[in-house]
Amino acid sequence: PFATSPDGTRLYFECHGTGTPLLLLAGQASDHREWDGVRADFAAHHCVIMLDYRGTGQSDKPSAPSYSTRGFAQDAVAVMDQVGLERAHAYGVSMGGRVAQWLGIDHPQRLGALVLGATTPGNAYGMTRDPAITIAMQRGDWASLRHTLVSPEWSRSHPDFEQRMAAMDASPGPAFARRLHYQASEGHDSWQLLPSITAPTLVIHGSQDEINPTANGRLLAGRIPGAQLQLIDGARHSYFEEFRWVASPLVLKFLHRHPLPE
């Protein structure tokens, strides 16, 4: 299935499971496959909707207009419209968490609860990463950054994770789109508008996240009214994979406590 954005871009999406709708938003330059390792956890309780951002997967890959996290949120709303959803919960990780912030700011009437994972309010007010990691991200060299996602020990004992990462590395999308995604993610700045978010919000962060340093989780939780902060000890950027047994139940419990408005 495809949805069409306001500017005519076709957006691929998938729906899995039944129940209260939950929008899952992947990270920078990633498509819906980023959620494959934990999708079943949520599809057992929710109707899970996942999209390929413009420039990724099976969606169109226009070079203009400029990509932005705010624009990606508008694309997510277009997918909700196509599915016929008035409201949904939203869970975004990394850049997906930046996109989810704009859902809470610009589209509060379409949102239930909000979960922000391993993300930041933007570089202007957030805690920046080690420059060496930024250089590798600019090159798209995610293979050299695998250790920042999960611990090497866990990776060695979970070959399915490595296989999924290798499959995504083998089909990364066009270079110009990866560059535009990087620019969109790095250009994110929601700081001034975060206090306007009214959705119940859970902020989750790994205590050893080097991609988006852990201090960013504290900044977001302190800036969004009533937000709950949950740090996962020992977790790196892909906390939702390595610490799935902790993170998925946390999110499910939070969503259950905050049913969609009638």
Side-chain angles (χ1 to χ4, degrees), residues 30-47:
S30 297
D31 58 37
H32 72 278
R33 294 174 296 169
E34 184 172 32
W35 291 102
D36 282 354
V38 298
R39 183 187 69 204
D41 297 350
F42 301 104
H45 305 274
H46 293 271
C47 173

Side-chain angles (χ1 to χ4, degrees), residues 25-192:
L25 297 164
Q28 177 188 309
S30 297
D31 58 37
H32 72 278
R33 294 174 296 169
E34 184 172 32
W35 291 102
D36 282 354
V38 298
R39 183 187 69 204
D41 297 350
F42 301 104
H45 305 274
H46 293 271
C47 173
V48 170
I49 306 101
M50 306 174 298
L51 72 148
D52 290 351
Y53 296 116
R54 61 178 63 212
T56 72
Q58 299 179 56
S59 291
D60 287 349
K61 299 170 180 64
S63 58
S66 298
Y67 289 25
S68 69
T69 52
R70 204 168 199 170
F72 293 149
Q74 182 62 59
D75 287 347
V77 170
V79 170
M80 290 176 62
D81 289 342
Q82 180 65 33
V83 179
L85 296 177
E86 192 171 322
R87 287 181 182 265
H89 298 310
Y91 179 14
V93 295
S94 199
M95 189 194 76
R98 299 179 179 96
V99 176
Q101 291 166 42
W102 288 119
L103 286 175
I105 292 165
D106 291 339
H107 308 279
Q109 74 283 2
R110 307 301 298 270
L111 194 60
L114 184 62
V115 182
L116 307 176
T119 192
T120 82
N123 293 335
Y125 294 91
M127 178 67 68
T128 57
R129 66 181 70 89
D130 186 305
I133 294 176
T134 295
I135 291 170
M137 291 175 67
Q138 289 172 330
R139 293 198 309 261
D141 184 12
W142 285 99
S144 72
L145 295 174
R146 193 81 85 232
H147 71 282
T148 67
L149 302 180
V150 297
S151 68
E153 298 78 17
W154 186 88
S155 182
R156 284 193 293 270
S157 63
H158 291 79
D160 57 317
F161 173 77
E162 281 300 323
Q163 290 164 6
R164 285 189 287 107
M165 293 297 102
M168 287 192 282
D169 289 345
S171 55
F176 80 86
R178 297 198 304 274
R179 183 176 64 254
L180 291 172
H181 265 255
Y182 176 80
Q183 292 169 356
S185 189
E186 292 298 292
H188 174 79
D189 182 5
S190 61
W191 184 260
Q192 299 299 336

